[in-house]
Amino acid sequence: MSDIRVRFAPSPTGYLHVGGARTALFNWLFARRLGGTYILRIEDTDKLRNNEEMVRGILEGLAWLGLDYDEGPFFQSDYYEQHRTAAFQLLDNGWAYRDFTPKEERSDANIKQAVAEANRQAVKVKNPYRDLSRAESDARAAAGEAFVIRFKVPEEGKTSFDDAVYGPQERDYKDIEDLVLLRSDGHPLYNLSVVCDDIAMGITHVIRGQDHLSNTHKQVLLYQALGKPVPVFAHLPLILAPDKSKLSKRKHGEIVSVTTYRDAGFLPDAFLNSLALLGWSPEEVREGEVDREVFSRPELIERFSLGGIHKSNAVFNFDLREAQDWQSQKEQLLDPRWVARNFYKFPRSWTDQKAQWMNAEYIKTMPLAELLPYVKTKLQSVDLWRAEFEGAESEWFQRAVNLIRDRYRTLNDFASLGRAYFVAGLDFEFEEEAVKKNLKKDAALKTLLPELADRFGALSEFTHDSTEAALRAFAEEKGVKAGLLINGTRTALTGQSAGPGLFDVVTIIGQTRAVERLRNVANLV
């Protein structure tokens, strides 16, 4: 174990969203790559917006992604006393002062007006209490006068740090306000709390979003004032929505929630792979040595470095209109029977196309033994699982999953489009378009398909070759094109118009179910 210590520090004011999950992932990869310690800290400083349900959502999202933490979860509010102690320490050593400005005069409007006037005069807003003597400050506080504690930013000079992503960063002291450390009610504010916690937890590298870059200058001052070493900072590029606005929980809703992708049937490793490529790439890809995007979890750990993080913002591409449609119909679109019945109405591009492609690649190529437990869990959730799938029918179950997985994008597809393969009888849905296209276009199918059922039922061997030979011989005998029977049989057996090779489907469905379904199809024709 190395001395490297990193933390993921979300605020429980919303679910774990795509941007937060990527920050968690990059911290996790960095720690795992270098044998460091990965810490989870919940920054519950916003008492009005904090929510226990959101904490559970964050923990669920991290657990689903497999981003296990070595220490925590810690809650920032448990350390408020230490934060207050630090504020008074800064007051005692001259790095802070009490501000007795009445609360109504500290309003945003007054501050903005003062800053605007100062900018016009090219000077820094100076607080009237900044140079108040310590004796008078103590006396007014002892008399019960309300105050906040502010950090005393030096008047001359500048802060500087070398960001691991964006390089050298500087900011003049005159451009940094005397930030509030402690409210009048004794409540510590973010910049003080985060520095105190990072010091207490021995954080060596702070890997977080670019939107924190301006805070870092203030925090560097606090580290120095407290006499503690400044950690290495690495700020991550923003993740933008398709319209180039910042990805937002409030604006974009559940479409950017990690648990949405879990519920929609994404594989955790596939989604993790997609997240990793939002603003980062391995060295061999950057150098043009290889052109690939699918990396296993161990490969991501092996290849990860802060040097591979891009400076430019990443875009999480989803169709805004279809995303809104998806959110408004979420219950229906997560109902596998509704999806199977209305396949052609299903918005297949509701989210990032690369994420969907990545998920389909994982389903198609991952070792079958790793995929089967996920399929089992999904089938259990919709009452399609039978104990025989792990017993007498285990070999059949494996062949069935292996046959149909090439065409599926998500695990939910096994429960919706794949339902016909796993139910014992006729309890599956028919796509409206498939029925119209493959069953109702020729009335002769009403008698042809039940007759084909008799031919299938008479076969002593029910194999790919024997069923194909029987169907083609029957088509020739009846003077119809084999395609008519092939398309009609597919829809009769699966409810769909497309899928794997028909005679592979016929043998997986099996003789008993195939005969039953072909005889039943007259009701649809």
Side-chain angles (χ1 to χ4, degrees):
M1 184 69 72
S2 74
D3 294 331
I4 287 174
R5 293 173 64 83
V6 298
R7 47 64 166 186
F8 173 52
S11 173
T13 55
Y15 44 73
L16 181 64
H17 64 99
V18 168
R22 187 195 62 173
T23 299
L25 171 62
F26 284 7
N27 277 277
W28 184 86
L29 288 172
F30 186 70
R32 295 294 174 261
R33 171 73 178 84
L34 299 174
T37 301
Y38 176 58
I39 300 166
L40 175 62
R41 184 174 76 224
I42 307 295
E43 297 194 336
D44 54 342
T45 55
D46 190 338
K47 292 300 181 185
L48 295 178
R49 295 173 59 211
N50 287 341
N51 188 309
E52 287 186 15
E53 183 180 345
M54 296 303 180
V55 173
R56 287 194 299 272
I58 290 169
L59 297 179
E60 284 181 15
L62 292 174
W64 177 67
L65 288 170
L67 300 179
D68 54 315
Y69 36 92
D70 303 305
E71 297 178 13
F74 300 109
F75 290 84
Q76 195 165 66
S77 58
D78 291 340
Y79 302 94
Y80 279 173
E81 201 54 50
Q82 290 93 314
H83 306 162
R84 282 188 278 269
T85 298
F88 281 98
Q89 176 187 335
L90 292 169
L91 181 66
D92 289 340
N93 62 25
W95 277 104
Y97 62 93
R98 294 187 183 96
D99 177 3
F100 295 96
T101 304
K103 186 175 182 179
E104 58 274 13
E105 294 180 26
R106 299 198 307 268
S107 69
D108 289 343
N110 289 332
I111 291 172
K112 286 179 181 178
Q113 183 178 354
V115 170
E117 178 62 21
N119 289 339
R120 189 179 67 79
Q121 298 181 26
V123 297
K124 180 176 178 177
V125 175
K126 188 165 184 177
N127 190 287
Y129 297 97
R130 178 183 169 103
D131 297 323
L132 190 68
S133 72
R134 182 60 190 270
E136 184 177 349
S137 174
D138 288 347
R140 293 178 69 159
E145 192 170 345
F147 63 87
V148 300
I149 293 182
R150 287 186 182 274
F151 185 76
K152 187 182 289 187
V153 177
E155 294 182 328
E156 300 291 334
K158 60 182 63 177
T159 61
S160 64
F161 64 94
D162 192 12
D163 190 84
V165 176
Y166 290 95
Q169 303 290 311
E170 291 186 345
R171 192 174 182 188
D172 289 336
Y173 289 153
K174 66 182 177 62
D175 295 327
I176 304 175
E177 78 279 8
D178 286 356
L179 57 146
V180 175
L181 303 177
L182 213 63
R183 290 196 181 105
S184 57
D185 62 1
H187 190 92
L189 270 73
Y190 170 76
N191 282 304
L192 174 64
S193 293
V194 73
V195 168
C196 289
D197 288 344
D198 283 348
I199 290 172
M201 295 176 182
I203 301 303
T204 61
H205 293 73
V206 176
I207 304 169
R208 61 188 180 188
Q210 184 203 60
D211 48 341
H212 284 285
L213 198 54
S214 61
N215 283 331
T216 304
H217 294 280
K218 303 170 187 176
Q219 291 166 17
V220 166
L221 281 170
L222 287 172
Y223 279 105
Q224 294 169 344
L226 291 167
K228 300 298 181 181
V230 178
V232 174
F233 287 96
H235 288 86
L236 311 178
L238 298 178
I239 300 180
L240 306 180
D243 61 359
K244 302 304 185 288
S245 65
K246 182 183 174 184
L247 213 61
S248 162
K249 304 174 190 176
R250 296 186 192 89
K251 179 178 179 181
H252 300 113
E254 292 185 45
I255 206 69
V256 298
S257 167
V258 166
T259 49
T260 289
Y261 295 86
R262 176 198 64 188
D263 297 343
F266 280 69
L267 289 159
D269 278 16
F271 197 66
L272 196 85
N273 194 159
S274 299
L275 285 177
L277 299 182
L278 285 173
W280 171 83
S281 56
E283 183 178 5
E284 67 262 39
V285 174
R286 300 195 306 274
E287 298 296 328
E289 296 172 7
V290 299
D291 181 16
R292 59 179 288 208
E293 295 180 295
V294 178
F295 295 91
S296 68
R297 190 177 294 245
E299 287 176 325
L300 290 173
I301 292 172
E302 181 185 354
R303 287 163 171 77
F304 187 79
S305 70
L306 298 179
I309 297 173
H310 306 165
K311 292 182 175 66
S312 57
N313 294 328
V315 177
F316 191 63
N317 279 305
F318 52 87
D319 185 292
L320 286 168
R321 183 186 59 78
E322 287 199 354
Q324 291 167 353
D325 290 345
W326 188 89
Q327 290 178 131
S328 66
Q329 302 180 68
K330 181 179 177 182
E331 288 189 14
Q332 286 180 311
L333 293 169
L334 292 181
D335 175 357
R337 298 198 66 151
W338 187 92
V339 172
R341 188 168 56 251
N342 297 278
F343 177 73
Y344 290 97
K345 302 175 185 176
F346 185 62
R348 301 288 279 179
S349 58
W350 61 274
T351 190
D352 189 86
Q353 292 296 291
K354 181 171 285 187
Q356 291 197 69
W357 170 83
M358 185 80 72
N359 203 63
E361 283 296 299
Y362 268 73
I363 287 175
K364 184 190 304 182
T365 62
M366 68 189 297
L368 184 61
E370 294 178 15
L371 176 62
L372 293 175
Y374 288 110
V375 178
K376 174 184 176 180
T377 299
K378 182 55 61 179
L379 296 184
Q380 285 175 324
S381 72
V382 293
D383 297 324
L384 285 177
W385 177 257
R386 291 189 288 116
E388 292 83 355
F389 293 164
E390 283 183 327
E393 297 180 18
S394 62
E395 184 181 344
W396 171 88
F397 179 68
Q398 293 175 44
R399 288 194 295 114
V401 171
N402 200 41
L403 174 66
I404 61 181
R405 65 170 169 163
D406 279 4
R407 295 172 175 266
Y408 290 173
R409 295 186 185 184
T410 72
L411 294 171
N412 286 10
D413 289 345
F414 288 94
S416 55
L417 306 181
R419 182 181 181 87
Y421 293 89
F422 302 114
V423 293
L426 303 168
D427 184 23
F428 60 95
E429 307 302 319
F430 285 79
E431 297 169 11
E432 294 176 11
E433 290 295 322
V435 172
K436 181 179 177 181
K437 176 182 176 182
N438 293 335
L439 295 179
K440 292 189 174 182
K441 74 174 184 179
D442 193 326
L445 290 170
K446 187 168 185 176
T447 57
L448 288 174
L449 292 179
E451 287 185 48
L452 179 61
D454 294 336
R455 301 295 175 95
F456 279 176
L459 292 174
S460 58
E461 288 187 350
F462 200 75
T463 65
H464 176 288
D465 292 347
S466 67
T467 53
E468 180 176 12
L471 183 145
R472 294 190 183 282
F474 181 66
E476 185 175 353
E477 177 186 324
K478 295 296 182 179
V480 298
K481 291 183 178 179
L484 177 69
L485 295 177
I486 287 172
N487 293 332
T489 298
R490 180 186 301 283
T491 300
L493 299 187
T494 67
Q496 296 156 33
S497 60
L502 174 68
F503 301 104
D504 291 322
V505 171
V506 170
T507 53
I508 281 292
I509 294 295
Q511 192 168 24
T512 301
R513 289 192 298 170
V515 169
E516 180 185 18
R517 291 175 186 183
L518 286 169
R519 286 176 177 161
N520 178 68
V521 84
N523 298 324
L524 291 172
V525 179

